[in-house]
């Protein structure tokens, strides 16, 4: 039976002080793959992404450009939405923290924390990284070239002194430690161990308002104070569900998908805010790794920042999506290059799966006038292939997706594709056409069924290509899910007047541009 519990997944909301880079695309695509898989499994899915538009970093960037922060946010947020749309990211809401409903939600959670006695006014003196929008203790700082003090992320810090509201983070130390040690709350294990060690060192109360600028959510009842950007940013996950009004049954979030550099905010600060406001904490937080450009972290100074839409334009949206899910062990850092994208696209999508579909459907179109072949009794080879594909689509792929082992899910799918290719080579329907036409039809029907099942199974990763193939196959929309594609749908379709026309290539061969060759 299909899973009936709701599934609420979010990405981190992106900070739009610059255009999107490949890391933003990686997270959005990964979240989309997970959301699409859950829909495929029959669950009600809510998928949220968006932009985090407040804070000192945005205010300073706008000042540098001689414009208002609102104007900068409007422009830059548009680029992030454009990226999601171009990469076929199926979000239900693209949230902007400058929207009125978000200000209302942020003020509501502030008032809930205040009512719990967890906010007090004091004076902040300490180190602050504008780039990270984060406070750091002196013991966390590292020394850069020339003796410059840097955050643990290598970003500049500056000494800050101002009146501030503080949140009693220390009050929740024991509860947070218990939460972090709970199986499944924070993955991978390496991130969990880092956060446990951080909390065990002792938590200090957190400065949660600023007075040195005004681009943010106003602190209710406190003239001149705006909320610390992370209080506001994290609350977006509630805003999208209607907080402080009825949020339905989608909260707590099933999964916050974030980069490894912001795990502290999501697994220490955010649960503490929620505990204070008497709200459930998220079920799971997953901190994925960085995507490296030929092994190097992208930066403007190195001149190696990649526009994801350029990659999608050069290699195809589905080829890029497939590569990112196939190449990188999810949770670890990974690397990409044009050569690697082309190799995966041509070798696995094109040669292995695309060619399998092309050969099978082309053979049906040419030799059976496009009418679907009849099944005239299966033999052991057919049964073995069905069992191999069924194991992949009912067990191996779903289990890997559920465990957020995205690379392993694609690998399980690819092994089933290889089994189909071995089967068609061994059965040789082009020879059977002359020697045993009835057996030829059974072989083609077997391949047709398996190809349809594999097209559905990989659809979270390559949705447009899968839909195109399923259209060629004539598979009805209502069967394009894990439950439907296992039902006895083939015989009624084969008995209809549906005809396959000569197929066009699903994955045209990709070549390296001259500058990358």
């Amino acid at each position: 039976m299909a899973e009936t519990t709701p599934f609420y997944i979010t990405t981190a909301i992106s900070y739009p002080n610059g255009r999107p880079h490949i890391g933003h695309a990686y997270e959005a695509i990964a979240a989309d793959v997970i959301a699409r898989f859950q829909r495929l499994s029959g669950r009600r899915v809510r998928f949220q992404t968006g932009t985090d538009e407040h804070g000192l970093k945005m205010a300073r960037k706008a000042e540098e450009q001689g414009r208002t922060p609102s104007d900068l946010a409007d422009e830059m947020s548009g680029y992030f939405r454009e990226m999601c749309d171009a990469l076929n990211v199926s979000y239900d809401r693209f949230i902007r923290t400058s929207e009125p409903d978000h200000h209302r939600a942020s003020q509501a959670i502030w008032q809930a924390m205040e009512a719990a006695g967890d906010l007090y006014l004091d004076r902040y003196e300490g180190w602050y990284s504008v780039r990270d929008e984060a406070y750091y203790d002196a013991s966390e700082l590292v020394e850069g070239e020339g003796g410059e003090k840097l955050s643990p992320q290598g970003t500049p810090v500056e000494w800050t002194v101002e009146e501030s509201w503080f949140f009693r983070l220390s009050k929740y130390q024991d509860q947070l430690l218990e939460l972090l040690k709970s199986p499944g709350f924070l993955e991978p294990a390496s991130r969990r161990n880092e956060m446990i060690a951080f909390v065990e060192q002792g938590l200090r109360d957190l400065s949660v308002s600023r007075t040195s600028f005004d681009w943010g959510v106003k602190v209710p009842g406190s003239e001149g104070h705006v909320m610390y950007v992370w209080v506001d940013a994290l609350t977006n996950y509630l805003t999208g569900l209607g907080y402080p009004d009825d949020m339905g049954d989608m909260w707590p979030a099933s999964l916050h998908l974030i980069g490894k550099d912001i795990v502290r905010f999501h697994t220490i600060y955010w649960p503490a805010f929620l505990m204070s406001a008497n709200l459930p904490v998220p079920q799971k937080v997953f901190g994925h790794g960085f995507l490296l450009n030929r092994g190097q972290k992208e930066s403007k100074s190195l001149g190696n920042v990649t526009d994801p839409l350029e990659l999608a334009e050069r290699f195809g949206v589905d080829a890029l999506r497939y590569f990112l899910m196939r190449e990188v062990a999810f949770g670890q850092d990974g690397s990409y290059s044009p050569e690697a994208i082309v190799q995966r696209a041509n070798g696995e999508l094109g040669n292995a799966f695309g060619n399998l579909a092309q050969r099978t459907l082309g053979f049906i179109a040419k030799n059976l006038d496009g009418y679907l072949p009849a099944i005239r009794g299966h033999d052991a080879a057919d049964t073995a292939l069905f069992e191999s594909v069924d194991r992949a689509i009912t067990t191996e792929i779903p289990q890997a997706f559920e465990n957020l082992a995205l690379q392993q899910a694609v690998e399980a799918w690819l092994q089933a594709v290889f089994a189909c290719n071995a089967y068609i080579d061994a059965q040789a329907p082009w020879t059977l056409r002359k020697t045993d036409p009835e057996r030829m039809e059974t072989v083609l029907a077997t391949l047709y069924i398996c190809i349809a099942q594999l097209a559905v199974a990989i659809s979270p990763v390559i949705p447009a290509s899968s839909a195109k193939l399923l259209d060629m196959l004539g598979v009805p929309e209502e069967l394009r899910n894990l439950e439907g594609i296992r039902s006895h749908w083939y015989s009624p379709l084969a008995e209809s007047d549906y005809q396959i026309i000569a197929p066009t290539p699903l994955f045209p061969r990709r070549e390296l541009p001259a500058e990358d060759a």
Side-chain angles (χ1 to χ4, degrees):
M1 291 292 292
E3 175 64 70
T4 56
T5 55
F7 188 85
Y8 179 34
I9 179 173
T10 70
T11 66
I13 48 175
S14 302
Y15 210 75
N17 63 325
R19 288 178 180 247
H21 55 66
I22 190 65
H24 295 117
Y26 176 57
E27 182 170 298
I29 290 169
D32 184 60
V33 168
I34 296 164
R36 286 178 182 273
F37 163 72
Q38 293 294 342
R39 293 190 194 108
L40 207 63
S41 301
R43 296 180 75 172
R44 280 187 297 115
V45 172
R46 176 81 177 180
F47 172 21
Q48 182 164 302
T49 189
T51 44
D52 172 15
E53 299 175 14
H54 293 134
L56 184 55
K57 186 162 51 174
M58 282 289 283
R60 287 188 178 176
K61 186 73 172 179
E63 187 177 10
E64 287 172 16
Q65 297 181 5
R67 60 202 297 197
T68 65
S70 177
D71 182 46
L72 175 64
D74 286 345
E75 178 192 350
M76 289 297 173
S77 180
Y79 296 133
F80 282 85
R81 188 191 291 264
E82 178 189 10
M83 177 198 75
C84 287
D85 292 343
L87 296 176
N88 208 356
V89 174
S90 60
Y91 57 85
D92 294 291
R93 178 167 178 182
F94 186 98
I95 194 167
R96 297 183 57 190
T97 57
S98 56
E99 293 168 337
D101 65 336
H102 179 67
H103 282 241
R104 178 171 172 258
S106 299
Q107 290 175 334
I109 198 171
W110 180 280
Q111 289 168 327
M113 293 189 293
E114 188 175 36
D118 288 338
L119 298 175
Y120 62 91
L121 198 60
D122 205 338
R123 180 181 176 84
Y124 177 77
E125 293 188 21
W127 296 102
Y128 190 77
S129 166
V130 177
R131 194 180 303 174
D132 297 346
E133 294 284 12
Y135 302 97
Y136 292 106
D137 188 78
S139 63
E140 297 181 85
L141 303 183
V142 297
E143 192 170 301
E145 293 182 13
E148 180 187 16
K149 292 184 184 298
L150 301 173
S151 76
Q153 314 295 337
T155 57
V157 294
E158 53 189 57
W159 186 256
T160 301
V161 179
E162 61 185 321
E163 182 183 69
S164 176
W165 284 93
F166 280 77
F167 173 74
R168 298 185 193 279
L169 184 64
S170 57
K171 170 182 171 181
Y172 294 94
Q173 180 167 324
D174 291 344
Q175 287 172 261
L176 290 168
L177 203 53
E178 182 180 355
L179 175 65
L180 288 164
K181 291 180 178 179
S182 302
F185 171 69
L186 173 55
E187 293 181 358
S190 57
R191 317 271 189 258
R192 180 167 63 249
N193 294 336
E194 288 172 13
M195 292 304 104
I196 289 172
F198 180 80
V199 174
E200 285 179 337
Q201 291 173 2
L203 294 177
R204 299 184 179 187
D205 290 350
L206 179 68
S207 172
V208 289
S209 75
R210 306 297 305 273
T211 57
S212 54
F213 63 96
D214 64 359
W215 177 239
V217 178
K218 303 295 186 289
V219 171
S222 192
E223 186 70 28
H225 285 256
V226 295
M227 292 181 196
Y228 173 41
V229 67
W230 275 102
V231 176
D232 147 26
L234 291 161
T235 304
N236 95 86
Y237 304 130
L238 300 177
T239 305
L241 298 180
Y243 181 81
D245 303 322
D246 182 12
M247 292 191 287
D249 61 355
M250 281 289 177
W251 190 261
S254 306
L255 175 64
H256 288 325
L257 187 63
I258 60 169
K260 66 180 181 179
D261 54 334
I262 55 173
V263 168
R264 182 190 304 183
F265 304 100
H266 283 80
T267 60
I268 296 176
Y269 300 167
W270 181 225
F273 297 159
L274 291 167
M275 291 171 184
S276 176
N278 196 30
L279 291 166
V281 300
Q283 294 174 11
K284 183 187 290 291
V285 178
F286 190 95
H288 63 76
F290 291 142
L291 197 60
L292 309 175
N293 186 339
R294 300 181 190 274
Q296 281 188 311
K297 190 173 180 181
E298 293 196 342
S299 74
K300 292 178 182 176
S301 59
L302 290 174
N304 66 346
V305 176
T306 302
D307 180 349
L309 297 191
E310 275 186 24
L311 284 180
E313 180 69 26
R314 287 161 68 185
F315 304 117
V317 171
D318 277 356
L320 178 62
R321 289 172 61 106
Y322 178 85
F323 170 81
L324 293 175
M325 298 301 99
R326 172 75 173 102
E327 185 77 7
V328 182
F330 201 55
Q332 300 178 20
D333 290 349
S335 191
Y336 74 95
S337 67
E339 298 93 332
I341 296 172
V342 167
Q343 183 179 17
R344 292 287 190 200
N346 289 343
E348 295 176 0
L349 283 181
N351 294 345
F353 189 52
N355 193 40
L356 171 69
Q358 184 86 7
R359 286 200 289 174
T360 302
L361 300 190
F363 202 86
I364 293 171
K366 182 178 179 180
N367 294 282
L368 297 174
D369 295 325
Y371 290 106
L372 299 189
I375 297 173
R376 303 180 186 279
H378 289 300
D379 68 9
D382 308 334
T383 301
L385 182 64
F386 279 135
E387 288 176 350
S388 177
V389 172
D390 190 66
R391 185 168 57 250
I393 68 168
T394 63
T395 304
E396 295 169 348
I397 296 172
Q399 284 182 356
F401 274 130
E402 284 288 355
N403 294 332
L404 305 184
L406 308 186
Q407 185 186 52
Q408 287 90 326
V410 178
E411 173 65 24
W413 172 82
L414 189 61
Q415 290 304 314
V417 171
F418 290 157
C420 290
N421 278 296
Y423 171 88
I424 193 173
D425 289 341
Q427 297 300 314
W430 45 89
T431 300
L432 292 171
R433 180 172 61 88
K434 299 174 183 177
T435 61
D436 191 345
E438 289 193 356
R439 174 63 188 157
M440 175 199 73
E441 288 203 48
T442 299
V443 166
L444 292 172
T446 301
L447 285 166
Y448 178 101
I449 293 167
C450 290
I451 290 168
Q453 292 177 324
L454 291 171
V456 169
I458 200 63
S459 63
V461 180
I462 51 170
S465 301
S466 292
K468 182 179 177 182
L469 176 55
L470 290 164
D471 287 345
M472 290 182 200
L473 292 163
V475 176
E477 288 282 349
E478 64 271 17
L479 297 179
R480 298 181 187 187
N481 55 71
L482 293 181
E483 188 76 19
I485 204 63
R486 295 189 65 219
S487 63
H488 299 291
W489 52 270
Y490 180 73
S491 293
L493 189 61
E495 291 166 6
S496 71
D497 291 330
Y498 181 74
Q499 281 180 283
I500 291 172
I501 60 172
T504 54
L506 271 180
F507 307 102
R509 185 169 180 80
R510 301 291 175 179
E511 302 292 343
L512 277 175
E515 62 269 25
D516 294 314

